[in-house]
Structures are given as C-alpha cells and as structure tokens.
C-alpha cells in the first residue's frame, strides 16, 4: 500500500465575500485546477473579533458546480429561486447541485452563544452534467452515520467506510467527505482510490500524515499526494475534514460563482442572467 504523503500545506487567507463576510479561504477556483474535482474551500466563523458584525451572502447565481455546506455551530438560513428554503443547523449538511442555474441566498446565524462555524466546499461537475436540473440533498445531523473506533470518531457524510455508506449519494466526483475527531495518541487509516485528489482541513489540534512525519498545526489545509492509503497520526488530538474525489481532467473556465469548461459558456451564463433565462 502506498501511503499518501504531504504535497502542499496551505495557510487559509482572509477574503471578503458576499455582504462583507470575512472568510478563511484555502482553495479558490483557478484554471490550473490542481485540486480537481474540488474548486473552493471556505471556513466561516464569527466568534473572533476579526470577523466583525455578522453578515451573509445575499441572492447570487451559481452554474456548473455543487456547493456543500456543513455547519459545526450556528446555522445558515437559505432560500432560492426555485422556492426552496430552510435552515442548515449544527452537524447538518446541504449538498446543492446547481447544474444549469440557481439563484440563492445564504445567511449565517449565530447560536445562543454567538457562534457561527461552518464550511463550504465547491465540487466541480463534469461537462456532461453542468447543465442538469438543480438538485438538493439535505441531511440533518441525526441521519449522518457516526463510526467510533478506539481513539477515532467519524461522521460519514459521503462515501463508504467499511460497510457503512454516507447519506449523500449520486455525486459525479464519487466523493468521500468525513468529519474526523482523533483522540490524543491515536491513528486513523483510510484506503483511497490511487487517482483521487485528497485533502484534509485541520481546524483543531495537530497531526502528521506519517509516523514521525511533519506535524501540521491547525488551522491549515493539507493536500496529499496520490496513493492508496491515508494515515493520520495525532499526539495531542485533532479535528479535521477529510475529502477525496475523482478528478475529471477537463479544462475549466471559472468566473465568480460560475465554473464552466469554456469562456463561451461563461458568456452564455452572463447572457442568460441579463435576459432572465438563467433559471428555468
Ligand atoms: Fe452560493
């Protein structure tokens, strides 16, 4: 078994999006597409003074991607152009396939202790599925399988571990998405398809990816090299999101909230917005 070693360690950068939300961004859409099939990874928290007053993401469009919202604390209220609305609470997941087009609003709300803590991942769609009808998979925390081994606690959102399958299914990137807690002096092992892109977002504690390997301290995103197995060692305990998916190996043309394959398709998305034919 080849063990995945660290390819790069990324320090999240503060960026301002929506109505002035300060986010910690580790991956952003780029033509080089080095995280293929993943396009963006944001962490939004409002419990530090740096975040300023709570704000959100008023109505905006998406085309050609999937947006995945997972909350640890607080909630995100959403509504969209199709008439859907709801609240994503702590431990809940929303996997939204924008397909050909959706306009939506995402407004984080604090819990009674003033906390908001959540993640948004953008997953690409292959060329053949960029213009499908929009679709949601929303799963509340009680329906997410938890797998507890000695020293490791897994919430399985998408993918398969042993005989347990996560509730999110039918995604083109064939993803694994887990929320992992490791106790101090624990090891976690997960087999992965060799060609998959794999990253870990470490948000509490620290860990290494080989015995006596480089120790990575929160908060960092670690991209791993190709390999058949991920191993995570923690001396102090760690909390992280581990994500894996199949690359599509297609050119991408990112433009704000749209990610298509060509510039012509971006022009078409903008034209559809102008002409009111974006949402059907
Ligand atoms: Fe959005």
């Amino acid at each position: 078994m080849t063990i995945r070693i660290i390819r790069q360690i990324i320090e999240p950068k503060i960026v301002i999006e929506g109505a002035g939300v300060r986010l910690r961004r580790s991956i952003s859409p780029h033509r080089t597409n080095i995280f293929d099939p993943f396009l963006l990874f944001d962490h939004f928290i409002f419990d530090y003074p740096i975040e300023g007053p709570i704000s959100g993401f008023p109505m905006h469009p998406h085309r050609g991607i999937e947006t995945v919202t997972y909350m640890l604390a607080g909630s995100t209220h959403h509504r969209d152009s199709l008439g859907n609305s709801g609240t994503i609470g702590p431990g809940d997941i929303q996997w939204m396939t924008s397909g050909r087009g959706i306009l939506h609003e995402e407004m984080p709300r604090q819990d009674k202790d003033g906390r908001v803590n959540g993640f948004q991942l953008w997953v690409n769609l292959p060329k053949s599925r960029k213009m499908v009808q929009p679709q949601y998979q929303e799963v509340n925390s009680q329906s997410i399988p938890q797998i507890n081994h000695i020293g490791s606690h897994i919430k399985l959102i998408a993918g398969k571990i042993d005989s347990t399958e996560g509730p999110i299914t039918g995604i083109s990137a064939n993803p694994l998405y887990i929320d992992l807690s490791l106790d101090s002096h624990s090891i976690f092992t997960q087999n992965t398809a060799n060609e998959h892109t794999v990253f870990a977002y470490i948000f509490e504690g620290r860990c290494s990816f080989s015995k006596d390997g480089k120790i990575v301290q929160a908060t960092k995103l670690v991209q791993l090299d190709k390999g058949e197995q991920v191993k995570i060692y923690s001396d102090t305990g760690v909390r992280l999101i581990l994500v894996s998916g199949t690359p599509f190996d297609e050119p991408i043309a990112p433009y704000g909230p749209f990610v298509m394959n060509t510039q012509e398709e971006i022009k078409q998305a903008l034209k559809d917005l102008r002409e009111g034919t974006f949402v059907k």
Side-chain angles (χ1 to χ4, degrees), residues 87-163:
T87 300
I88 308 162
D92 298 347
I93 187 101
Q94 183 199 62
W95 201 293
M96 192 270 284
T97 305
S98 78
R100 71 173 317 283
I102 201 162
L103 290 153
H104 75 168
E105 180 184 87
E106 301 161 286
M107 305 304 271
R109 289 181 182 170
Q110 292 162 305
D111 66 12
K112 61 177 177 26
D113 301 319
R115 294 177 307 165
V116 174
N117 196 352
F119 305 100
Q120 190 165 89
L121 170 70
W122 289 9
V123 185
N124 201 9
L125 285 167
K127 188 174 178 55
S128 59
R129 294 202 65 227
K130 282 198 179 288
M131 295 298 277
V132 295
Q133 289 302 314
Q135 189 205 332
Y136 282 95
Q137 295 186 58
E138 285 189 341
V139 181
N140 62 28
S141 59
Q142 302 95 295
S143 304
I144 294 175
Q146 302 203 18
I147 302 167
N148 294 303
H149 292 305
I150 296 168
S152 73
H153 314 279
I154 301 162
K155 292 180 184 170
L156 178 58
I157 291 158
K160 199 171 174 187
I161 292 183
D162 302 326
S163 56

Side-chain angles (χ1 to χ4, degrees), residues 22-254:
R22 286 171 183 267
L23 297 162
R24 288 159 173 75
R25 178 162 295 167
S26 310
I27 301 177
S28 51
H30 193 272
R31 283 168 184 289
T32 50
N33 207 11
I34 55 172
F35 287 92
D36 183 12
F38 306 111
L39 299 162
L40 172 143
F41 191 82
D42 281 345
H43 183 192
F44 48 101
I45 38 181
F46 290 92
D47 58 349
Y48 297 149
I50 193 172
E51 303 294 342
I54 190 160
S55 53
F57 309 89
M59 275 298 169
H60 59 276
H62 287 293
R63 176 175 281 181
I65 61 168
E66 307 192 270
T67 68
V68 182
T69 307
Y70 179 57
M71 300 300 297
L72 294 176
S75 60
T76 295
H77 188 80
H78 69 94
R79 62 190 182 97
D80 74 20
S81 52
L82 305 173
N84 301 299
S85 68
T87 300
I88 308 162
D92 298 347
I93 187 101
Q94 183 199 62
W95 201 293
M96 192 270 284
T97 305
S98 78
R100 71 173 317 283
I102 201 162
L103 290 153
H104 75 168
E105 180 184 87
E106 301 161 286
M107 305 304 271
R109 289 181 182 170
Q110 292 162 305
D111 66 12
K112 61 177 177 26
D113 301 319
R115 294 177 307 165
V116 174
N117 196 352
F119 305 100
Q120 190 165 89
L121 170 70
W122 289 9
V123 185
N124 201 9
L125 285 167
K127 188 174 178 55
S128 59
R129 294 202 65 227
K130 282 198 179 288
M131 295 298 277
V132 295
Q133 289 302 314
Q135 189 205 332
Y136 282 95
Q137 295 186 58
E138 285 189 341
V139 181
N140 62 28
S141 59
Q142 302 95 295
S143 304
I144 294 175
Q146 302 203 18
I147 302 167
N148 294 303
H149 292 305
I150 296 168
S152 73
H153 314 279
I154 301 162
K155 292 180 184 170
L156 178 58
I157 291 158
K160 199 171 174 187
I161 292 183
D162 302 326
S163 56
T164 308
E165 248 176 287
I168 303 293
T169 55
I171 304 297
S172 301
N174 192 22
L176 174 79
Y177 187 122
I178 65 174
D179 172 347
L180 173 69
S181 293
L182 276 186
D183 298 340
S184 56
H185 307 291
S186 297
I187 304 172
F188 169 83
T189 303
Q190 172 66 34
N191 290 347
T192 52
N194 184 62
E195 73 280 7
H196 271 208
T197 299
V198 175
F199 72 83
Y201 185 78
I202 300 155
F203 58 91
E204 277 178 35
R206 63 187 200 183
C207 63
S208 63
F209 294 85
S210 60
K211 197 167 169 22
D212 306 319
K214 183 180 173 60
I215 291 174
V216 186
Q217 183 86 39
T219 307
K220 300 278 190 308
L221 186 141
V222 175
Q223 184 181 18
L224 298 174
D225 256 332
K226 302 263 179 265
E228 293 158 329
Q229 199 170 63
V230 176
K231 275 194 172 285
I232 303 175
Y233 299 75
S234 187
D235 55 352
T236 58
V238 71
R239 286 206 65 191
L240 58 85
I241 301 287
L242 181 69
V243 178
S244 139
T246 313
F248 297 128
D249 275 326
E250 293 176 348
I252 61 164

